[in-house]
Amino acid sequence: MTRIIHPFHCLWPFLLVGFSAIGQQQNIRIEANFSPSAITLSRQTTYKVTVHGSQQSPSGSLPAIAGLGISGNPRVFRAASFLNGVPSVRLELSFAVKPERHGSFTIPSWNLSVQGTPHRVPAATLRVLPPNQEDVLRAQARQKQESDLRQALFLEVNLLRKYLFEGETTLGSIDLYIWERLPITRLVQLPQKNGDAFSQSEINRPIEKRTSRNGKNYTVYSWPVALTAAMEGMHELFYKMTVRVRVQNNRNSPSGNPFLQDPFFRDPFFGFGREEAMSVTSEKLKLEVRSLPMEGRPHAFRGAIGTISTNSATDAERVTVGDPVRITFTVTGKGNFGVMPAPEIDSSEKIKVGPPAFSFEGDENLRYEGTQHFDYVVTPLRPGQIEIPAVPFAYFDPTSERYVDASGNVHTLRVDAGETWVDPSPPQSAFTEKQQNVEPARNLFQTESEPSEWRKSLTPEPVFRSSAFWYAQIAPLFCFCGIMGWRIRQRSSSRDSSAKRFARLRNEMKRATRFNDTLGFFRATRGAIREKVGALAGQEKPETLARDEVLAILLQRKASDELISEINEVLETADAHEFAGDASASLPLLDWQVRIKRLLKNIRALG
Amino acid sequence: MKLVRLVVYLVSATFACGVDGNEANRPFYDGVRAEASGDLDTAIASYEKAVAISHSANLHGNLANLHYKTGSSGKAILHYRKALLLDPGNPELSANLAFARKAAGLSPATPSADDFHFAPESISIWVWATTIAFWLGIYLGLILTRSYISGFTKIVGVIGWAGIVAFGTYAIWRADRNIDFLAREAVAVLPATTNEGNETAVIRLRRYAGGANDANAELKPGEVVRIDKDEKGQLKTHVTKDQVKWYLARSVSGGKKGWATDKELQRILR
């Protein structure tokens, strides 16, 4: 069984606290019935559930019955009374019921929760009888009323043409007919177009007129509109709008006849009823949009469609080089002026053509009938007899369904060279003299027809006032810092390795002294001297220094002659032991060690 | 992050400039058309509309031409100056300015180094040249400290580099000073209420900011003055009760000094 949930507790916002308290003390009893319990098929009835002894919102689900349309939004009615001094409260829920067929329908017993306690709603039966004579008459009256209503307020779309070509603009009107007895208070919404295949002009204020049709007097609001077909094929077009009318009775009354609520059947004049919005829709027009023929399409055709004529004129026939000439190309007639592109004239070596200016004489909104001007500024660049080419223009005539070439005329322009101007001011300095020498002779006060580069401000902005400039300095600064850091580190590591090498050589000297190894002693001594002297000169590889180079560095460092000769002697002795095979000679290495230590100390003092 | 911000700034600045230019195109072309048809007043109005949106050398040049043709030599000189700021190397604009000055009865301008080498628009060149010289010297120094060139050569190199950087710094300072001068420069223009075609008409520099007092000196239309600064470094102005703005100005040579209204003294950088 299909069940519909009715959240009753949401339906009544106010709680009568006093009666609720009373209700809580009473026994709860529930009744259910149809009122009336027998109806014909065309009528409606009410399914009423009465809860005695409580006014609190109940909750439950009403079973759905096939063949009965039961409203999901019941009316709630609360009542309280004193019967023989005893307080009594009740809650009524009324559901509108519309039968869909004749027969007998029973809503079975169902559960309703009141104050949190489940209660049974008794079953109720409805008898639906076949339509009687009265129902038939009522249906006939209803059809007539609907027909009358359509005659009272309707929307019509009138177009000049039965079919359109793609891109063609046609004129039409949207007419709203209002029967004079219909109490329209205002037009809420202007006619809205439904049909994506068409674009239209703006809908502005309507033209109001009075007319008579089928014996009825109407007020007609008419909106002229220019429609342009955008897509080929069969397309539907209709308009929709909303008006507000004055009606008298309550729309939501479940007991009221809905057809009696139609404004047509209400007293239109003297009532003080409420206003209600009413939507009006025009009949759907089926319009064919044909594509433009490809055959015979001129090169100059750029989409102009209509019945038009053209003309072109210049404002001067003789000018000097650089003086702008205006060419006006005029298109007059009926057509798609709203979407008509401007024809183009190409610049050449002899002329420069600026972008055209547009102006339209006629209804600026519809842009269907009138005169369109295209103004071009042509600047002659060379003297002589110049021909300004014809403005290329072609259009499609939808009446004769053929293309027409309507290009403008070729204009001949005599262009003079102009007067040459020489600076009258005498040269003021060597600089200006130089400037004048290189300055070409030009025409004074020549108008430029093209704007040069646009600048937002005249003020020269120093680049160093922008943060971008200082950000740009970060890169070379970082690079510089990096190189410096790398060098310092390299130098430091070089120093460290020099100290290590010197320490190693000193240890070798000590060991050679202990083992009386003369060759090893002098080899280490020579290395230690080279290391110290090399450190003085910043040599990265001091072990490669020759004896002469060592002495030259010492001399450069202004070492004493005594020190130089002693170093020379030590190095000669070392060379003798190393290369002359004098290794067998026994020397007092301990004395030599003391002497070498003193010499090395003296060398270090030179730094 | 900063780099991204910089790129966004540059792109948006470029876009903004483009938008301004496009908006100003229409009134510019309107002006050209109006001028072509001989309607000079409409042409001036159209150009003025474009000037309110953006600036271009040709726009100011055309406007200056029209002002000259309509007899407003002061405004013509003003707009030639503006046009030359945007296109300094344009000989035609320079020639027109010289001609307009002569027609206005002004002595020919004597160009100096401040007008060319240290001109306001040259500041960016000086800044970049000096910056490049600075960093080039630093890096060359890093390389050459370990080279075997003589100490004398090194010293000469350092002195030469320092001299170049010092001169560049001086040039930047001087160009920046000229920008400051330019920001204070104004051209004497006859107000619209007077007969601008009258050759004898002059602009009075008053003793005090107010209409009815004696003139200290007089300016010819087109004459250039500099507006004084106040103690805060702003232009020295005074607004009277009738909401007229006055500038305290003096001629470039300093020989003339006095108050004039903002209608009479039109600043070049506005």
Side-chain angles (χ1 to χ4, degrees), chain A residues 10 16 41 72 76 193 258 295 402 460 486 491 494 585:
Chain A
C10 300
L16 301 174
L41 185 58
V76 181
K193 176 176 69 71
E295 191 183 342
R402 62 182 183 84
W486 176 72
R491 193 163 192 166
S494 168

Side-chain angles (χ1 to χ4, degrees), chain B residues 181-236:
Chain B
F181 284 158
L182 185 65
R184 291 160 47 203
E185 273 185 6
V187 176
V189 169
L190 282 174
T193 49
T194 62
N195 179 14
E196 297 205 13
N198 186 358
E199 291 295 328
T200 59
V202 289
I203 295 97
R204 294 188 303 146
L205 290 175
R206 285 81 158 186
R207 288 179 194 280
Y208 308 104
N213 59 69
D214 293 341
N216 262 351
E218 290 174 342
L219 296 172
K220 289 180 183 173
E223 207 167 335
V224 176
V225 291
R226 282 196 190 126
I227 298 165
D228 277 12
K229 282 181 172 179
D230 60 13
E231 56 276 4
K232 290 177 186 171
Q234 304 293 321
L235 296 181
K236 192 152 191 170

Side-chain angles (χ1 to χ4, degrees), chain B residues 1-2 18 25 42 47 53 67 69 77 84 106 112 131 146 159 192 205 214 220 232 244 247:
Chain B
M1 190 63 197
K2 280 179 179 172
N25 271 338
T42 306
Y47 287 140
I53 300 167
H67 278 308
K69 287 173 185 172
I77 290 168
L84 276 169
L106 299 172
S112 66
T131 307
R146 288 197 170 182
I159 291 171
L205 290 175
D214 293 341
K220 289 180 183 173
K232 290 177 186 171
V244 175
Y247 289 124

